[in-house]
Amino acid sequence: MLMKKFFLISLLSAYSVMIAPHTPDEKNSNRNSDPIENVDCLFDEAFQVKTVLILSKKEAQKKSVPLALVRNSNNKLAIMAKDGNGELQPFYMRGIEVGFWDTRRRDRDADYDKVFETYEKLGANAAMFMIHWSDIEPQDGRFDFSYTDDILEKAKRHGIKIVWVLFMHEQFDMPFLTEPEKLWMYNLDTRDGANYAIQWVKDKEGNIIKDIPGHREKKYTEIMPCYSHPVVYGRIVRMLGRLADHYKDSESVIGVQIGNEEHVSYQGEDADFNPYTLAHFDKWKEQTDETSWNRFKLAIVKLWFSRFTTAYHMHDPYKITMMNPIAGGPEKGETGIIDRSGTDATTFRDSKIDAIATMFYWPSGVNVWKNLDQVYKVGNTYSYPTQLPILMSTEIGIRSLNTWPYTQEYMTNFIERGSQGFAVYSYGHVANAEGETNEYGEYYRKFMAMVAANEDIIWPGLPGIGDNISITSTYGGGKISCLHDGNDATLGILHYPDDMADDTKEHRADIPVEVMVKQSGKYTIEIYKDGILAASHHDDLTASKGRIYTINISNKEVAFIKVKR
């Protein structure tokens, strides 16, 4: 065992020096040199992880950055992005994911001009756009951003920002991509009848599957890179640096989701038994005096992604990085997925990733909050609005993936926790390639219209009622969740979290909502429902004397109540 361990670590060191250097014409070629490109930095306790830089509004304006995460005077973190006139403005993501199965084909892509025109009609301002590593680096060391540049130009024409959803793995049901057997990034080290560039998966019989044909034969659906392989690791670091560098001056790029459901593979009975990962397991055991394989996987995923976000931020310190574990399962507390994937609710925080891009699918999605809030909430105070990682989901299921009451509730959950925005999955569930929207597209449009009309409070607002304005209701089983912007503005969202299930009968009622203030004065009260401003009042409110406003609403709908002094 000692000789085997020595051999593996020696092999690891040998491959570390084989990582290809940057090409001579590469910008800032030495910016992310040692130790970031050496996989041994995973175990360097002195390593400094780079997260997104946080600026004041004044600093962001002075630096003239295209996008920035700023800290407001109330301590809330929020995104500012340049508009069409080059001016930094508050930005709250109203997104839709797109780019693979719904719009991309083997022969041709959808007309993305038409797609982004539909985004405008739906009230979306951002696309979570799926791309594959091979889209920007088709050959080892040869980068080509023509495809992503074209997408970006079309999005910009319609005022749509982009988050790149960067797949580093490949699935066998992606006919629009070259088969993984032929892609260079999964074939960097093939020898002895095994592929050392991919994760090795154990099947039910205890056999280790060491090559891509073996994965196909077992009907596993995807190939994960072996992030612990020094050559693979080095190529990922290089690629993330080039992606960041290419778009660092773009006013249309928000950032990148590093991978999509990427970690340790959840397929087979267990993974990753690649010799390089096993060598890291041995090293981890030496350093920690622990022996748990599952605890190692939780640790190594955090180490991988802390280095990946650093690689990106060494070239672009202002754009946002995100990650998303498999289908929200780890955040739901699904122990089988946690043990196999090496991810849980703490992964976002401990990997030093900038944004929590958790996924909300099906009724079980409600369990995500139980585990996320346990990590990112102290007492009655959420950390999401004021500390990294911020909350910015990239996939909330819609149509066949969630009935509308669930989609609506999950979006509301993000707003009430002081998030920076969210996106639904996916464009193909709300519209077709010709831009024709369905009923779920109409649901989405109406909800986004209400969000946009209240972003003056949503963008700077902190969870809770504040010290002056309160909005409450104790009738009909509804809940009012509030955001406040100091003493002068509060937004309440009336929703029904207990009535989302299909077997809960829909009914309408006149719901009395009480607005109470501690400071007497003139206030504007606006009520939004069904996508429009339904009522507007300009009233003198007396301190500690509540005023009732009645809202006729279904228990399958939401209403927004804005109160401003």
Side-chain angles (χ1 to χ4, degrees), residues 44-61:
D44 181 0
E45 294 181 357
F47 186 87
Q48 296 294 310
V49 178
K50 290 185 180 295
T51 58
V52 63
L53 285 183
I54 298 170
L55 305 175
S56 67
K57 287 185 183 179
K58 185 175 181 180
E59 287 173 327
Q61 298 283 1

Side-chain angles (χ1 to χ4, degrees), residues 521-539:
K522 295 183 180 294
Y523 290 81
T524 297
I525 298 90
E526 295 178 343
I527 298 170
Y528 296 82
K529 63 175 187 173
D530 200 31
I532 61 172
L533 175 62
S536 181
H537 307 270
H538 303 279
D539 293 336

Side-chain angles (χ1 to χ4, degrees), residues 61-81:
Q61 298 283 1
K62 184 177 181 180
K63 289 178 178 291
S64 191
V65 293
L67 180 136
L69 187 64
V70 301
R71 189 175 293 282
N72 288 315
S73 58
N74 64 357
N75 206 33
K76 183 177 181 181
L77 297 173
I79 294 173
M80 295 191 75

Side-chain angles (χ1 to χ4, degrees), residues 10 15 24 29 42 72 77 95 127 169 172 212 216 225 236 306 312 319 335 348 354 373 377 382 425 497 502 507 540:
S10 299
Y15 264 86
S29 59
L42 292 175
N72 288 315
L77 297 173
H169 80 282
F172 292 136
I212 295 173
R216 284 190 183 274
I236 292 173
S306 67
Y312 187 86
K319 305 285 175 65
T335 55
F348 308 100
D354 300 325
D373 289 347
K377 186 178 182 181
Y382 296 109
Y425 183 87
D502 292 343
H507 58 82
D540 288 317

Side-chain angles (χ1 to χ4, degrees), residues 351-366:
S351 68
K352 300 297 189 292
I353 208 81
D354 300 325
I356 297 170
T358 195
M359 304 158 73
F360 284 80
Y361 291 122
W362 313 292
S364 61
V366 298

Side-chain angles (χ1 to χ4, degrees), residues 305-362:
F305 280 83
S306 67
R307 277 30 173 195
F308 295 157
T309 191
T310 298
Y312 187 86
H313 286 312
M314 291 185 81
H315 288 260
D316 187 340
Y318 301 113
K319 305 285 175 65
I320 307 295
T321 64
M322 310 175 186
M323 73 173 300
N324 63 339
I326 176 72
E331 301 95 298
K332 293 176 189 175
E334 296 176 0
T335 55
I337 292 294
I338 290 171
D339 289 344
R340 284 191 288 172
S341 71
T343 56
D344 64 10
T346 69
T347 300
F348 308 100
R349 179 195 65 195
D350 297 345
S351 68
K352 300 297 189 292
I353 208 81
D354 300 325
I356 297 170
T358 195
M359 304 158 73
F360 284 80
Y361 291 122
W362 313 292

Side-chain angles (χ1 to χ4, degrees), residues 172-416:
F172 292 136
D173 59 351
M174 293 176 172
F176 41 83
L177 293 178
T178 302
E179 302 95 312
E181 291 93 332
K182 298 179 182 177
L183 281 178
W184 66 268
M185 63 273 303
Y186 309 125
N187 293 281
L188 285 164
D189 181 9
T190 301
R191 52 196 162 89
D192 305 324
N195 187 334
Y196 287 72
I198 65 171
Q199 294 186 11
W200 292 8
V201 178
K202 182 190 290 185
D203 68 10
K204 291 182 179 179
E205 288 74 42
N207 301 311
I208 305 298
I209 312 304
K210 304 177 181 180
D211 57 20
I212 295 173
H215 280 247
R216 284 190 183 274
E217 184 179 341
K218 288 290 183 179
K219 301 191 184 306
Y220 301 147
T221 59
E222 57 191 45
I223 298 297
M224 289 281 188
C226 178
Y227 304 113
S228 283
H229 193 302
V231 178
V232 176
Y233 169 87
R235 298 302 196 272
I236 292 173
V237 165
R238 180 181 67 182
M239 176 268 295
L240 288 170
R242 286 298 296 267
L243 177 66
D245 197 63
H246 188 78
Y247 290 114
K248 66 182 180 182
D249 297 322
S250 172
E251 298 174 6
S252 297
V253 173
I254 299 171
V256 60
Q257 180 179 294
I258 301 175
N260 185 73
E261 302 180 315
E262 298 194 17
H263 25 63
V264 179
S265 179
Y266 65 94
Q267 304 217 318
E269 291 300 294
D270 203 353
D272 166 26
F273 295 95
N274 189 296
Y276 291 98
T277 306
L278 295 180
H280 278 163
F281 182 35
D282 284 343
K283 199 163 190 175
W284 177 82
K285 287 188 290 185
E286 286 180 356
Q287 289 196 348
T288 65
D289 290 327
E290 293 193 47
T291 59
S292 168
W293 172 241
N294 289 335
R295 285 182 60 80
F296 162 72
K297 287 190 286 186
L298 285 166
I300 198 68
V301 170
K302 293 171 182 177
L303 291 173
W304 288 336
F305 280 83
S306 67
R307 277 30 173 195
F308 295 157
T309 191
T310 298
Y312 187 86
H313 286 312
M314 291 185 81
H315 288 260
D316 187 340
Y318 301 113
K319 305 285 175 65
I320 307 295
T321 64
M322 310 175 186
M323 73 173 300
N324 63 339
I326 176 72
E331 301 95 298
K332 293 176 189 175
E334 296 176 0
T335 55
I337 292 294
I338 290 171
D339 289 344
R340 284 191 288 172
S341 71
T343 56
D344 64 10
T346 69
T347 300
F348 308 100
R349 179 195 65 195
D350 297 345
S351 68
K352 300 297 189 292
I353 208 81
D354 300 325
I356 297 170
T358 195
M359 304 158 73
F360 284 80
Y361 291 122
W362 313 292
S364 61
V366 298
N367 295 320
V368 169
W369 294 122
K370 296 176 184 178
N371 293 287
L372 281 184
D373 289 347
Q374 185 176 355
V375 177
Y376 304 101
K377 186 178 182 181
V378 179
N380 292 320
T381 304
Y382 296 109
S383 69
Y384 310 116
T386 59
Q387 301 175 31
L388 295 178
I390 57 176
L391 188 60
M392 204 170 178
S393 180
T394 56
E395 291 189 32
I396 297 174
I398 193 169
R399 199 180 180 182
S400 61
L401 299 169
N402 277 324
T403 56
W404 177 248
Y406 283 98
T407 301
Q408 180 177 250
E409 177 64 18
Y410 294 149
M411 292 190 294
T412 300
N413 295 157
F414 274 85
I415 297 172
E416 69 181 342

